[in-house]
Amino acid sequence: MNTLTFFFFFVCILVLALLLLNKLVSVNKPYAEKVSPYECGYSPVGDTRGKFSIQFYLVGILFLIFDLEVLFLFPFAVTLYQASLYGFWFVFIFIFVLTIGLVYELSKGALVFHSNPSKNG
């Protein structure tokens, strides 16, 4: 039996053993509030067609974009001493384009929160 086959058998047995151990040892005391559905901080009771603000989702998407910017800049920061002038200008243009995007988002009011969702355009 090679190592890969042993690994697959070992993982399956380990998963089953841990699931069984969890079922035997864990405490299970369900109550109405614990087993009720939960939707991102909103109560699921009521009309499902009601208006809601999408600002939180928009800010989340913008956060991901600018978080990925840091991810793309990390290799440049690690090789900063070896990067040539070409690398510097490449990163400068990258940051410049992202700055233009941020200014555009601010000018469109994407990061301005409204208290009433019906006032969002």
Side-chain angles (χ1 to χ4, degrees), residues 74-89:
F74 183 72
F76 174 72
V78 169
T79 61
L80 188 58
Y81 289 115
Q82 292 85 19
S84 63
L85 196 58
Y86 173 76
F88 170 76
W89 285 110

Side-chain angles (χ1 to χ4, degrees), residues 43-108:
S43 177
V45 179
D47 186 22
T48 59
R49 301 275 184 197
K51 290 184 177 183
F52 63 93
S53 177
I54 62 167
Q55 285 300 118
F56 293 108
Y57 305 112
L58 183 61
V59 169
I61 290 171
L62 295 177
F63 173 76
L64 285 175
I65 290 171
F66 289 105
D67 194 37
L68 288 175
E69 170 192 356
V70 173
L71 180 70
F72 288 142
L73 289 177
F74 183 72
F76 174 72
V78 169
T79 61
L80 188 58
Y81 289 115
Q82 292 85 19
S84 63
L85 196 58
Y86 173 76
F88 170 76
W89 285 110
F90 187 81
V91 170
F92 182 78
I93 291 171
F94 178 72
I95 292 175
F96 181 72
V97 169
L98 285 171
T99 304
I100 290 174
L102 179 63
V103 169
Y104 176 75
E105 291 164 2
L106 289 173
S107 68
K108 289 293 185 179

Side-chain angles (χ1 to χ4, degrees), residues 16-57:
L16 291 174
L18 289 176
L19 284 173
L20 180 65
L21 182 68
N22 182 31
K23 199 68 167 168
L24 294 174
V25 176
S26 67
V27 177
N28 187 12
K29 295 181 181 178
Y31 52 93
E33 191 171 333
K34 185 177 180 180
V35 295
S36 68
Y38 180 76
E39 283 293 326
C40 301
Y42 297 106
S43 177
V45 179
D47 186 22
T48 59
R49 301 275 184 197
K51 290 184 177 183
F52 63 93
S53 177
I54 62 167
Q55 285 300 118
F56 293 108
Y57 305 112

